[in-house]
Amino acid sequence: MDVITREILFNRVRSWVLEAGALIRKKMHDPLTIDTKSNPKDLVTEMDREVEFFFASKIKAYYPEHLLLSEEGYGDTLSDVHGTVWVLDPIDGTMNFVHQKQNFAISLGIYYEGIGEIGLIYDVMRNNLYSAMRNNGAYKNDRQLKKLNKDLQLNHSIICLNHHWLAKNSLVDERVMQQLIKDVRGTRTYGSAALEFAYVAEGAADAYITMRLEPWDIAAGRIIVREVGAMITNIYGEEVGMLERSSILTCNPTIHKTLIKDYICKAKK
């Protein structure tokens, strides 16, 4: 994708994301129909579907040759990553949306021939837009984010951990993860993968570790964190495919090997 095409697309998509966020805020306190998907904790609302339909309609109207990979049923079925693919989570952090009315985000990544070109994560209730275009830096609203500190030490780090790492799990030695919690400066759990990626990008957190995410959970975040020098792999340090469900470790590169070697691999039984 050439630079001019990418910039035109970015400006258009940015306006759509802000418009979708305004729609959510307008309807925030309307009565919600809440359904469950794979389990009672896996929630979806008509707002998730409405926001996804909003983007699906825009994409098909303006870019009918583009494809949409998304969570709530309005996307396309993909077997490969050829062409231009939009990867959308209309509300990342639906449980937070339902229960807290905050700490959720619109997450949208645009890929061309498998390469991440544009990423946007919109913290709807705080009106913070994290964005990036490939090789053009990452931004929070209009402020460019700095490259990550290359002298970071683990004991000065704040780590975002999915709660499944902390719960009893037959595949995880919780004692190792408890040691990690003791060894770092602090841990956090926000309930929105997109926001945790955004916090790593801006240096508010130094790593995010989770056992399983879908492509739409990471599509925007992986583009944004790479622009500030963060690494993103699975928990074994391997590249993560665009269409696959995977464990995720995204972090400041100075602590990547230590997290895998001294903690994650030891925790996995």
Side-chain angles (χ1 to χ4, degrees):
M1 184 179 292
D2 64 76
V3 173
I4 294 175
T5 300
R6 188 169 60 213
E7 288 182 354
I8 293 171
L9 180 58
F10 174 84
N11 289 328
R12 177 168 285 162
V13 174
R14 182 181 184 275
S15 69
W16 292 351
V17 168
L18 295 176
E19 185 179 348
L23 174 67
I24 293 172
R25 288 192 297 270
K26 179 181 179 180
K27 297 188 174 183
M28 169 64 68
H29 298 289
D30 290 355
L32 282 175
T33 300
I34 304 169
D35 299 317
T36 60
K37 294 187 286 186
S38 61
N39 62 69
K41 298 179 182 179
D42 190 7
L43 305 181
V44 61
T45 71
E46 74 267 27
M47 184 57 68
D48 295 79
R49 299 186 181 103
E50 185 171 347
V51 172
E52 185 169 304
F53 181 75
F54 168 86
F55 280 101
S57 300
K58 293 285 190 182
I59 294 166
K60 296 308 177 187
Y62 284 82
Y63 305 102
E65 73 280 11
H66 292 189
L67 298 173
L68 172 63
L69 177 62
S70 54
E71 188 173 10
E72 309 304 346
Y74 292 105
D76 301 290
T77 300
L78 275 66
S79 58
D80 57 50
V81 296
H82 294 314
T84 302
V85 180
W86 302 50
V87 190
L88 171 70
D89 193 337
I91 298 181
D92 183 75
T94 300
M95 189 179 295
N96 291 346
F97 169 71
V98 170
H99 289 274
Q100 300 176 346
K101 308 301 183 186
Q102 61 180 341
N103 297 321
F104 62 90
I106 298 170
S107 176
L108 177 61
I110 301 178
Y111 289 71
Y112 178 69
E113 299 297 339
I115 297 173
E117 297 284 355
I118 295 170
L120 301 107
I121 295 172
Y122 186 35
D123 183 344
V124 173
M125 301 311 292
R126 294 182 180 88
N127 196 28
N128 285 326
L129 179 65
Y130 299 84
S131 64
M133 289 190 292
R134 182 169 61 87
N135 297 330
N136 197 49
Y139 289 78
K140 179 180 181 181
N141 300 320
D142 296 323
R143 175 175 62 86
Q144 185 168 2
L145 300 178
K146 296 179 180 179
K147 295 288 186 178
L148 298 183
N149 175 17
K150 294 183 179 180
D151 298 320
L152 179 70
Q153 298 178 13
L154 187 68
N155 63 352
H156 293 167
S157 302
I158 292 179
I159 309 295
C160 295
L161 286 169
N162 183 281
H163 66 276
H164 290 297
W165 276 101
L166 309 180
K168 290 284 185 179
N169 187 317
S170 61
L171 299 178
V172 174
D173 185 344
E174 68 272 10
R175 294 171 297 179
V176 178
M177 301 313 295
Q178 288 167 0
Q179 187 61 51
L180 173 61
I181 292 170
K182 294 177 182 178
D183 290 345
V184 300
R185 176 165 283 173
T187 59
R188 300 290 185 270
T189 299
Y190 294 99
S192 166
L195 290 180
E196 289 173 297
F197 269 92
Y199 298 156
V200 170
E202 70 173 319
D206 302 298
Y208 172 44
I209 309 170
T210 187
M211 290 290 283
R212 187 179 72 176
L213 289 179
E214 301 288 351
W216 42 79
D217 296 317
I218 68 172
R222 72 192 303 173
I223 298 168
I224 294 171
V225 297
R226 282 173 171 166
E227 287 296 314
V228 298
M231 296 185 69
I232 173 171
T233 66
N234 66 17
I235 60 172
Y236 303 106
E238 301 164 339
E239 183 72 19
V240 177
M242 181 178 154
L243 300 180
E244 67 188 41
R245 175 188 294 171
S246 178
S247 61
I248 291 294
L249 167 60
T250 184
C251 64
N252 187 305
T254 59
I255 60 174
H256 184 261
K257 289 183 179 179
T258 299
L259 286 171
I260 292 175
K261 179 176 177 289
D262 295 342
Y263 299 96
I264 296 173
C265 284
K266 288 182 179 180
K268 291 289 289 181
K269 295 181 179 178

